[in-house]
C-alpha cells in the first residue's frame, strides 16, 4: 500500500507531494541506524562476552539454573553469547519489529532457537508467569540501553521496571555498574558554540543581546567525538572527577537526583564547559571495563577503541564563571530520567556535606536564539576569519545608494551591510531582531515577513534590489546543496532586481574528493560474523533498507570529527551561477578520478566576489600525505560505496562519476562506479 506524503523540499522551498510505501519510515530508520557500528566495536563485544561468561559462572557456582533477560537485544548477539557461556535459557526483548524479526532469524541460523525466545515488546510490557512472555524471573540481567549521555535512551526507567517485575532479587547484571566522569575546563573554541561573541566592524562593536548572554542555553547534550578536540584547545581547571555510579545489579531509581564533586581549582581561568564521559564495569570487581574516555586521556592514544554509537559529551555551564587557582569548588551534576546537566558553585568551609538538593528544572533556553541556531551555527557566527571574508566582500560591492535584500536564516550580513553604509537593508526569513535592539540598530534593517516569491516593489518602497546577499545558510539544510535554496529565492525575485544588481555569493561550486576513512567506514560495512556468530541476516536487512533509497544518496556527516585521507585531488564537478536564474534543464557532470576509497566526500565552495571564496568543506589544501582539514561549522555530504570490497583493488582503478542537478526537484542524483583504466 502506498500513500501521498507532503514534504518540505529544503532546496526549492516547495511542499512536494510524493508517493511513498507505508514501509518507508522504518526502512529509513534501519538504513540510518548504524547498527553495524556496534557490531564492529570489538572492544565492546569482547568486554560484554567476558562479563557474560563471568556472570554465568557465578550463578552456576551457586547451583542455580541460569535464566537471562536481555533487554534491547538488537541482533540477539548478547543472548547468543549467554547461551554459549552456559545459560539455560534467554529471554531476548526487542521493541523494534524489523530488528526483532532479524534477531529471530539470526538466532535460528546460529542454532539457538531452543534456548532463546525473542519477544517483540517494550520491556515494560513483558509479563511473567505460566501464561506470560517469561515463565520465570531471570537471575542475570544483560542490557545495552545506553547512549552517549548514558541515560538518554531511558536506561534508568527500564532498569527500574526490570528489577521490580522481571528479575530476581540479588540478580547478576552485565554491565554491573556505570560511572560518570567529568572535567571542568576553559575553552574559547567550545564556548563559542554556546554564546555569541562581540564583533568589531569599522569602529563599531556589535554586542550580543543581554538575553542571550544571560541565557542558560539549549538543554540538550552536545555529543561529539571528543578525541578530535585537540587538548591545546582547552585548559583543565580541575581534575577528572568521578561524579556518580549506578549499580545495575540492585534496584535502580529513575527519580531526579544530584551529586557533587569537590575539588580545588588547578589554575585560574574562566569556567565555561564540562567535558564528560562514562565507563561500564562488566563485573562486580571492576576487572572488565569498557570506557568511553577520549583518546587523549590514554597513555597510548593508538590503543583507543573507536566507536560512534557511544561518544563523549560537552555540557555548557549556564554562565561563565571566573575561578582562581586553589579556590574550592563544587561541580554538581543533576539528572532526571533521561538527561544530565551541570552547575558550579563555590564550596564553603562550613559546609562539607556531599548532599545537594536536586535542581527542580534543567536549564533551558529563554532567549530563543539557542532554539534557532544550532551549536555549530553559533561557532560559525563566531568565526572571525569567516566574518572577515564576508565583510571584505560586502565592502567591495556596497555603495552609499545600495538597496540590499538578505536571504538567509539568522544572518548577520544585513547588519554588516547597514554598518557599511547601505542606503536601505531588508531581509526575509529568521531575523536577528534581538541583536538589532541590543545595538540600537532596530531601524537600520527592515524585516519583511513574507516569502521571496511574494515580494513586490511596494514591499521595497519602490526600490529595485541592487545587492542580493546570502551566506547562504538555512536551518532546514542538511546536505551541502540544500543551500541552493538561495538560488531559487534569487530566481523568485528576479523581476525586482536592478539590471546591474550584484549577487553575493555570485556562484557556488560542488566539489568531490575520494576518501579513505580511518574509522567512519564501519557504520556502513557489513559484519558477516561477530564474535563467531553469523549476523549476516542483519547485513541483508540493512542493505535491503539502504537499497530502498538511501544507498543511492549521500548522507550528512561533520567530517572534522572523522579523520580521513584524500586519495584523489579535490575536483569541482558542478558550478551554479547565481547571477542567472535557476535553469529549466538539468545540469550534468561526469568524469573520472583515480584511486580506491570507502566513498566520496562532497561540499560547496561559495564565490563571494571575484577574489573571495568561502569553503564549507576543506579549509586547507590536502597535504602530500592526503591529510584533510574540514570546516567544523557545516556538515559535508558523504556517498558511501555499497561495500569496501568494491574498491579493494590495486589502487589503479578509475572512479567514474555522473552527477545531475535536477532543477525541478533541487536534487543532485549521483552515480559512482569503479572501472579498470
Amino acid at each position: 500500500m502506498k500513500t501521498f506524503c507532503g514534504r518540505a523540499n529544503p532546496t526549492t522551498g516547495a511542499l512536494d507531494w510524493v508517493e511513498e510505501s507505508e514501509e518507508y519510515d522504518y526502512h529509513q530508520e534501519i538504513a540510518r541506524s548504524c547498527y553495524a557500528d556496534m557490531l564492529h566495536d570489538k572492544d565492546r563485544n569482547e568486554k560484554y562476552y567476558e562479563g557474560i561468561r563471568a556472570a554465568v559462572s557465578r550463578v552456576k557456582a551457586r547451583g542455580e539454573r541460569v535464566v537471562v533477560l536481555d533487554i534491547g537485544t538488537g541482533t540477539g548477539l548478547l543472548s547468543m553469547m549467554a547461551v554459549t557461556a552456559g545459560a539455560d535459557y534467554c529471554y531476548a526483548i526487542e521493541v523494534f519489529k524489523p530488528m526483532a524479526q532479524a534477531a529471530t532469524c539470526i538466532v535460528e541460523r546460529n542454532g539457538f532457537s531452543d534456548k532463546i525466545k525473542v519477544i517483540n515488546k517494550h520491556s515494560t510490557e513483558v509479563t511473567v508467569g505460566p501464561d506470560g512472555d517469561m515463565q520465570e524471573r531471570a537471575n542475570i540481567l544483560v542490557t545495552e540501553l545506553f547512549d552517549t549521555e548514558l541515560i538518554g535512551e531511558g536506561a534508568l526507567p527500564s532498569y527500574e521496571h526490570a528489577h521490580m517485575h522481571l528479575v530476581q532479587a540479588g540478580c547478576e547484571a552485565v554491565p554491573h555498574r556505570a560511572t560518570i566522569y567529568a572535567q571542568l575546563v576553559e575553552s574559547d573554541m567550545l564556548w563559542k558554540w554556546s554564546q555569541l561573541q562581540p564583533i568589531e566592524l569599522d569602529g563599531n562593536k556589535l554586542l550580543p543581546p543581554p538575553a542571550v548572554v544571560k541565557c542558560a542555553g539549549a538543554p540538550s547534550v552536545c555529543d561529539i567525538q571528543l578525541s578530535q578536540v585537540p587538548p591545546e584547545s582547552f585548559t583543565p581547571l580541575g581534575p577528572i572527577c568521578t561524579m556518580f555510579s549506578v549499580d545495575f545489579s540492585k534496584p535502580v531509581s529513575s527519580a531526579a537526583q544530584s551529586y557533587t564533586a569537590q575539588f580545588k581549582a588547578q589554575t585560574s581561568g574562566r569556567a565555561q564547559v564540562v567535558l564528560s564521559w562514562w565507563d561500564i564495569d562488566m563485573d562486580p570487581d571492576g576487572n572488565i571495563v569498557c570506557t568511553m574516555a577520549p583518546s587523549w586521556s590514554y597513555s597510548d592514544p593508538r590503543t583507543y577503541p573507536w566507536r560512534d554509537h557511544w561518544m563523549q559529551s560537552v555540557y555548557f555551564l549556564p554562565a561563565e564563571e571566573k575561578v582562581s587557582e586553589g579556590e574550592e569548588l563544587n561541580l554538581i551534576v543533576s539528572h532526571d530520567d533521561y538527561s544530565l546537566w551541570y552547575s558550579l558553585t563555590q564550596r564553603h568551609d562550613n559546609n562539607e556535606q556531599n548532599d545537594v538538593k536536586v535542581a527542580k528544572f534543567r536549564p533551558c533556553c529563554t532567549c530563543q536564539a539557542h532554539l534557532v541556531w544550532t551549536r555549530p551555527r553559533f561557532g560559525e557566527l563566531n568565526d572571525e576569519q569567516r566574518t572577515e571574508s564576508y565583510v571584505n566582500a560586502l565592502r567591495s560591492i556596497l555603495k552609499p545608494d545600495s538597496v540590499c535584500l538578505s536571504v538567509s536564516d539568522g544572518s548577520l550580513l544585513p547588519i554588516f551591510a547597514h554598518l557599511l553604509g547601505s542606503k536601505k537593508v531588508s531581509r526575509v526569513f529568521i531575523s536577528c531582531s534581538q541583536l538589532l535592539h541590543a545595538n540600537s540598530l532596530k531601524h537600520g534593517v527592515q524585516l519583511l515577513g513574507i516569502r521571496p516569491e511574494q515580494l513586490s516593489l511596494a514591499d521595497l518602497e519602490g526600490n529595485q534590489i541592487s545587492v542580493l546577499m546570502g551566506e547562504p545558510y538555512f536551518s532546514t539544510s542538511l546536505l551541502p546543496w540544500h543551500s541552493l535554496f538561495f538560488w531559487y529565492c534569487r530566481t523568485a525575485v528576479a523581476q525586482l532586481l536592478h539590471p546591474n544588481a550584484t549577487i553575493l555569493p555570485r556562484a557556488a561550486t560542488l566539489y568531490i574528493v575520494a576518501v579513505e576513512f580511518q574509522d567512519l567506514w564501519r557504520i556502513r560495512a557489513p559484519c558477516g560474523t561477530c564474535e563467531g556468530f553469523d549476523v549476516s541476516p542483519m547485513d541483508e536487512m540493512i542493505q535491503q533498507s539502504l537499497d530502498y533509497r538511501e544507498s543511492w544518496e549521500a548522507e550528512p556527516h561533520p567530517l572534522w570529527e572523522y579523520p580521513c585521507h584524500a586519495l584523489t585531488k579535490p575536483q569541482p564537478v558542478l558550478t551554479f551561477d547565481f547571477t542567472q536564474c535557476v535553469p529549466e534543464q538539468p545540469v550534468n557532470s561526469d568524469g573520472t578520478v583515480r584511486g580506491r576509497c570507502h566513498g566520496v566526500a562532497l561540499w560547496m565552495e561559495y564565490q563571494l566576489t571575484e577574489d573571495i571564496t568561502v569553503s564549507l568543506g576543506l579549509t586547507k589544501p590536502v597535504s602530500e600525505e592526503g591529510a584533510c582539514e574540514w570546516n567544523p561549522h557545516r556538515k559535508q555530504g558523504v556517498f558511501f560505496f555499497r561495500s569496501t570490497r568494491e574498491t579493494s583493488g590495486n589502487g589503479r582503478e578509475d572512479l567514474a562519476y555522473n552527477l545531475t542537478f535536477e532543477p525541478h526537484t533541487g536534487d543532485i542524483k549521483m552515480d559512482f562506479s569503479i572501472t579498470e583504466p
Side-chain angles (χ1 to χ4, degrees):
M1 179 179 175
K2 293 189 175 182
T3 184
F4 279 102
C5 302
R7 290 203 175 95
N9 188 315
T11 308
T12 66
L15 179 64
D16 294 340
W17 288 93
V18 294
E19 189 180 45
E20 294 286 11
S21 164
E22 62 181 2
E23 299 176 334
Y24 170 74
D25 285 338
Y26 91 69
H27 275 303
Q28 191 175 52
E29 177 73 17
I30 294 169
R32 298 300 194 202
S33 63
C34 300
Y35 281 113
D37 173 39
M38 289 184 281
L39 297 184
H40 282 298
D41 187 346
K42 189 169 180 61
D43 177 70
R44 162 195 178 270
N45 300 335
E46 290 178 344
K47 299 290 176 57
Y48 260 102
Y49 210 167
E50 190 177 352
I52 289 170
R53 284 194 292 261
V56 170
S57 296
R58 289 194 298 274
V59 174
K60 282 185 171 293
R62 298 198 294 262
E64 300 176 19
R65 181 173 181 266
V66 180
V67 180
V68 176
L69 173 62
D70 176 8
I71 300 179
T73 193
T75 59
L77 175 66
L78 302 185
S79 289
M80 293 189 294
M81 288 178 176
V83 171
T84 303
D88 295 287
Y89 202 79
C90 280
Y91 295 100
I93 300 174
E94 176 56 51
V95 68
F96 187 39
K97 185 176 181 179
M99 202 68 237
Q101 292 171 338
T104 300
C105 181
I106 291 170
V107 166
E108 290 176 356
R109 182 168 296 190
N110 287 274
F112 295 113
S113 295
D114 60 331
K115 289 197 172 185
I116 298 175
K117 179 183 180 181
V118 178
I119 302 171
N120 181 208
K121 286 185 175 181
H122 194 282
S123 64
T124 57
E125 299 173 345
V126 171
T127 57
V128 180
D131 299 321
D133 302 304
M134 298 171 61
Q135 295 296 298
E136 58 189 312
R137 287 183 177 233
N139 52 14
I140 295 182
L141 175 57
V142 177
T143 63
E144 205 281 57
L145 299 171
F146 314 117
D147 68 348
T148 293
E149 204 172 13
L150 183 68
I151 65 173
E153 292 184 2
L156 295 182
S158 295
Y159 272 109
E160 186 175 44
H161 177 271
H163 276 285
M164 291 172 60
H165 302 286
L166 304 178
V167 298
Q168 300 173 17
C171 74
E172 300 286 343
V174 181
H176 181 82
R177 77 176 64 84
T179 303
I180 296 275
Y181 301 93
Q183 186 170 38
L184 181 69
V185 304
E186 174 184 343
S187 174
D188 286 337
M189 170 190 161
L190 297 176
W191 191 242
K192 286 179 179 178
W193 294 358
S194 179
Q195 286 291 340
L196 194 62
Q197 305 298 306
I199 299 173
E200 297 276 355
L201 177 61
D202 286 0
N204 296 292
K205 191 171 187 177
L206 281 175
L207 298 175
V212 176
V213 175
K214 296 177 182 178
C215 181
S220 58
V221 64
C222 178
D223 53 343
I224 64 171
Q225 290 284 356
L226 199 54
S227 297
Q228 299 308 312
V229 176
E232 59 268 20
S233 68
F234 61 86
T235 302
L237 300 178
I240 296 174
C241 301
T242 301
M243 299 307 301
F244 69 94
S245 294
V246 182
D247 187 336
F248 297 126
S249 69
K250 299 177 181 178
V252 172
S253 172
S254 63
Q257 297 184 55
S258 291
Y259 305 87
T260 300
Q262 301 177 336
F263 59 90
K264 290 184 178 181
Q266 295 176 343
T267 186
S268 298
R270 295 166 295 151
Q272 300 167 324
V273 175
V274 176
L275 310 180
S276 182
W277 57 88
W278 49 266
D279 61 29
I280 43 179
D281 295 330
M282 297 298 184
D283 65 317
D285 296 330
N287 295 323
I288 310 167
V289 182
C290 185
T291 180
M292 305 308 119
S295 62
W296 38 256
S297 69
Y298 282 61
S299 56
D300 182 1
R302 293 173 298 179
T303 63
Y304 169 73
W306 184 88
R307 47 178 68 94
D308 202 47
H309 55 103
W310 297 328
M311 295 186 282
Q312 296 80 34
S313 301
V314 173
Y315 297 90
F316 301 95
L317 291 179
E320 178 182 270
E321 298 185 36
K322 290 184 178 180
V323 299
S324 301
E325 183 177 353
E327 184 179 358
E328 295 182 327
L329 302 172
N330 290 324
L331 182 62
I332 304 167
V333 62
S334 304
H335 74 77
D336 52 23
D337 48 353
Y338 284 95
S339 59
L340 304 173
W341 60 93
Y342 284 82
S343 55
L344 184 70
T345 64
Q346 290 182 328
R347 179 174 147 205
H348 301 292
D349 292 337
N350 60 352
N351 182 12
E352 297 292 335
Q353 296 181 354
N354 290 328
D355 294 335
V356 177
K357 290 184 178 180
V358 63
K360 292 184 178 180
F361 305 103
R362 61 176 177 160
C364 62
C365 176
T366 55
C367 71
Q368 307 304 313
H370 298 91
L371 303 180
V372 173
W373 291 333
T374 63
R375 289 175 175 122
R377 178 59 172 166
F378 268 95
E380 187 171 57
L381 293 173
N382 286 322
D383 187 328
E384 295 177 359
Q385 184 175 349
R386 175 183 177 277
T387 295
E388 183 180 4
S389 294
Y390 279 94
V391 169
N392 287 339
L394 286 172
R395 203 189 306 275
S396 70
I397 64 172
L398 292 177
K399 301 175 182 177
D401 61 349
S402 291
V403 175
C404 305
L405 177 67
S406 174
V407 180
S408 274
D409 282 346
S411 176
L412 303 182
L413 296 191
I415 299 177
F416 296 159
H418 171 70
L419 293 176
L420 290 172
S422 296
K423 172 185 175 183
K424 182 177 179 60
V425 182
S426 302
R427 65 179 305 145
V428 292
F429 303 128
I430 300 172
S431 71
C432 301
S433 56
Q434 290 189 63
L435 194 62
L436 292 169
H437 282 270
N439 291 276
S440 302
L441 299 172
K442 62 181 181 179
H443 299 300
V445 179
Q446 178 188 15
L447 173 62
L448 304 173
I450 54 178
R451 294 179 59 84
E453 64 269 21
Q454 298 171 323
L455 278 177
S456 66
L457 275 178
D459 298 312
L460 301 171
E461 299 177 357
N463 296 299
Q464 288 184 305
I465 302 166
S466 58
V467 176
L468 179 68
M469 58 188 177
E471 301 183 31
Y473 169 83
F474 302 100
S475 58
T476 53
S477 297
L478 292 175
L479 289 162
W481 44 93
H482 287 168
S483 291
L484 289 177
F485 182 44
F486 175 80
W487 201 12
Y488 287 84
C489 293
R490 177 257 181 267
T491 303
V493 300
Q495 300 303 314
L496 305 179
L497 296 176
H498 189 277
N500 297 320
T502 300
I503 313 296
L504 185 151
R506 59 191 299 172
T509 301
L510 180 66
Y511 279 78
I512 66 170
V513 63
V515 294
E516 179 181 41
F517 287 107
Q518 181 174 305
D519 296 293
L520 189 62
W521 61 271
R522 302 173 196 269
I523 71 172
R524 288 288 167 262
C527 295
T529 60
C530 180
E531 298 303 312
F533 302 101
D534 182 356
V535 295
S536 57
M538 186 210 66
D539 295 334
E540 295 162 7
M541 177 190 72
I542 291 176
Q543 192 58 57
Q544 181 184 7
S545 292
L546 285 168
D547 288 344
Y548 190 81
R549 178 180 297 172
E550 308 296 328
S551 64
W552 311 114
E553 297 179 346
E555 53 189 81
H557 288 283
L559 292 185
W560 73 272
E561 295 186 53
Y562 304 106
C564 63
H565 278 80
L567 301 179
T568 64
K569 292 183 178 180
Q571 184 160 325
V573 290
L574 287 172
T575 295
F576 310 95
D577 185 358
F578 295 161
T579 65
Q580 304 297 318
C581 291
V582 175
E584 291 291 329
Q585 300 302 316
V587 180
N588 179 268
S589 175
D590 54 32
T592 59
V593 292
R594 177 66 55 85
R596 57 179 176 173
C597 51
H598 292 134
V600 172
L602 307 98
W603 70 96
M604 286 288 203
E605 292 193 2
Y606 290 100
Q607 187 178 1
L608 304 185
T609 63
E610 191 70 38
D611 54 357
I612 301 177
T613 299
V614 172
S615 173
L616 301 187
L618 289 172
T619 57
K620 292 183 179 179
V622 175
S623 71
E624 291 184 5
E625 297 78 22
C628 302
E629 290 192 25
W630 297 97
N631 186 312
H633 310 312
R634 301 280 185 104
K635 291 183 178 181
Q636 292 73 39
V638 178
F639 187 99
F640 288 101
F641 294 134
R642 291 166 63 97
S643 168
T644 54
R645 290 189 292 271
E646 287 187 8
T647 55
S648 58
N650 56 18
R652 293 193 295 271
E653 303 95 335
D654 282 338
L655 171 63
Y657 64 84
N658 183 286
L659 287 83
T660 302
F661 170 67
E662 297 284 355
H664 297 293
T665 63
D667 291 335
I668 294 182
K669 295 183 178 180
M670 303 178 188
D671 181 40
F672 295 93
S673 59
I674 306 299
T675 60
E676 292 292 337

